[in-house]
Amino acid sequence: MKLGTNHIAIDLGTAYIRIVDSNKGITIEEPSILTYSLTSNEKIAFGDESKKMIGRTPTHLVVSQPIRGGIITNYDDTTTLLTHLLRKMNKKQKIITKNNVIVSVASQLTLVEKRAIMEVLLQVGAKKVFPVESSIAAGLGVDLPVWDPRGFMIVDIGAGKTEAAVLSLGGVVISETCRVGGIIIDDIIQAHMRIHHNLVIGSPTAEKIKLNINDIRQTEQDVTQDVKGIDLQSGLPKVITIYEKELLIPIIECIMKIVEVIRNVLESTPPELSADIMDTGIVLTGGGALLTGLDEMISERINVPVFLTENPLH
């Protein structure tokens, strides 16, 4: 496809929206959330500013997350959020008019879901929209020679979904997606703290606990973390110390769903491409892949080399 020099690329992630200028690189990288008033429906904050409000808003303010697992769940909020971020990028009223836009889309999306993404981008001023499968985009991003007649496997673990795909000759040979990602693990941690410790914590605290886990494969009993939250019984702030090992059982149960998807894709891969993957290994990308020890755990479960790319988030 001939895009010329006047184009941008957009990644509509569950956790972050990233906008890339063809000449300047990543120019916008902000959370995929906005805050609005229930009384006036006025949009109060976007992206970074909105993230600061999570768990701190009064009852008349709501934090909206309009993109989940690569799917637009709220058309109007997504349009408003994109409009704001693009205006912030360009600092002018004509947002992306006359720009061609490349957008990454999950392989498993339906035509209706892909059309919704394209319509949002056209609504905010795109001249033309070119969807690119996210696995191909990820493969190019980690410098895999995806155009070669060889098999490569990439597993993108995002905030709202995981997609495992085998690439060859510039296309996706086979892929599978599951609704498991970093945000799901955060939800599991929140539920565990509520059920087993009567402690209510917010999603930012759960994410911090997750990223601070020493190693999800650990067997030591004495690795601990201090957790701040609200005591369910007294309603007062409380700090408790937990053993990381107690979190590993529910987290690993979640990770095994990712392992199952990878195994399903490998089992359906043609023999010649499967042999290539045994030689080249599996590449992990996405923010969810930052969980310490995840690459080694997956490799142990499927007996295939697994490598964490140098910069999983980008």
Side-chain angles (χ1 to χ4, degrees):
M1 59 188 166
K2 296 182 179 180
L3 297 173
T5 58
N6 194 31
H7 63 275
I8 62 176
I10 297 179
D11 177 22
L12 298 174
T14 300
Y16 284 88
I17 290 177
R18 296 179 178 89
I19 305 175
V20 183
D21 183 275
S22 56
N23 299 313
K24 302 176 183 177
I26 295 177
T27 55
I28 292 289
E29 182 175 22
E30 296 202 22
S32 310
I33 53 178
L34 56 84
T35 304
Y36 65 92
S37 169
L38 283 174
T39 54
S40 65
N41 204 34
E42 179 185 0
K43 304 303 185 289
I44 306 297
F46 305 87
D48 287 329
E49 289 300 315
S50 184
K51 187 173 184 177
K52 296 174 184 176
M53 299 180 179
I54 295 177
R56 296 180 171 90
T57 57
T59 55
H60 72 283
L61 295 182
V62 175
V63 177
S64 170
Q65 189 174 32
I67 305 167
R68 299 283 294 192
I71 299 172
I72 292 176
T73 58
N74 188 309
Y75 184 95
D76 291 338
D77 283 357
T78 303
T79 301
T80 302
L81 179 58
L82 263 179
T83 299
H84 172 83
L85 295 178
L86 288 162
R87 281 181 178 156
K88 183 176 180 179
M89 170 184 169
N90 289 340
K91 297 181 180 178
K92 60 184 180 181
Q93 199 68 20
K94 290 185 178 179
I95 312 160
I96 55 174
T97 304
K98 298 182 180 179
N99 281 103
N100 292 313
V101 176
I102 303 169
V103 61
S104 62
V105 295
S107 304
Q108 302 293 319
L109 293 189
T110 66
L111 288 176
V112 173
E113 291 164 345
K114 290 179 181 178
R115 190 177 299 118
I117 292 173
M118 297 177 72
E119 286 177 355
V120 163
L121 294 172
L122 292 170
Q123 178 71 26
V124 297
K127 182 180 179 182
K128 290 183 180 179
V129 180
F130 298 89
V132 176
E133 289 181 289
S134 55
S135 295
I136 294 293
L140 292 170
V142 298
D143 293 327
L144 288 178
V146 297
W147 308 108
D148 289 1
R150 288 190 291 159
F152 300 94
M153 187 168 185
I154 193 157
V155 179
D156 183 15
I157 306 174
K161 67 173 178 62
T162 293
E163 180 169 346
V166 174
L167 315 177
S168 182
L169 292 170
V172 176
V173 178
I174 185 169
S175 68
E176 187 170 325
T177 300
C178 66
R179 300 297 176 190
V180 174
I183 287 180
I184 307 302
I185 295 176
D186 295 345
D187 292 343
I188 288 172
I189 292 173
Q190 285 181 278
H192 178 87
M193 296 305 299
R194 177 187 289 269
I195 294 169
H196 296 281
H197 295 283
N198 290 319
L199 195 73
V200 179
I201 63 173
S203 54
T205 300
E207 182 182 26
K208 183 178 179 180
I209 293 171
K210 175 185 67 181
L211 294 177
N212 285 339
I213 290 176
N214 184 54
D215 191 327
I216 60 171
R217 301 172 303 153
Q218 69 188 14
T219 56
E220 296 84 356
Q221 301 285 341
D222 56 351
V223 181
T224 62
Q225 285 193 41
D226 291 335
V227 180
K228 299 177 182 178
I230 300 295
D231 186 273
L232 268 175
Q233 294 180 337
S234 68
L236 298 175
K238 185 177 181 181
V239 180
I240 67 170
T241 300
I242 64 168
Y243 290 98
E244 284 188 356
K245 192 173 181 66
E246 69 181 80
L247 295 173
L248 298 186
I249 294 176
I251 289 176
I252 290 173
E253 285 179 0
C254 187
I255 290 171
M256 290 310 296
K257 296 178 182 177
I258 295 176
V259 173
E260 182 181 355
V261 164
I262 296 172
R263 185 177 286 116
N264 290 343
V265 170
L266 284 173
E267 289 175 350
S268 302
T269 300
E272 294 301 320
L273 296 181
S274 184
D276 292 337
I277 293 168
M278 288 298 297
D279 292 334
T280 59
I282 296 171
V283 178
L284 294 186
T285 67
L290 290 171
L291 192 61
T292 307
L294 179 61
D295 49 347
E296 292 93 342
M297 174 174 283
I298 293 175
S299 181
E300 290 168 1
R301 295 298 194 279
I302 61 175
N303 295 317
V304 177
V306 177
F307 306 99
L308 179 64
T309 187
E310 184 177 349
N311 187 0
L313 283 171
H314 298 133

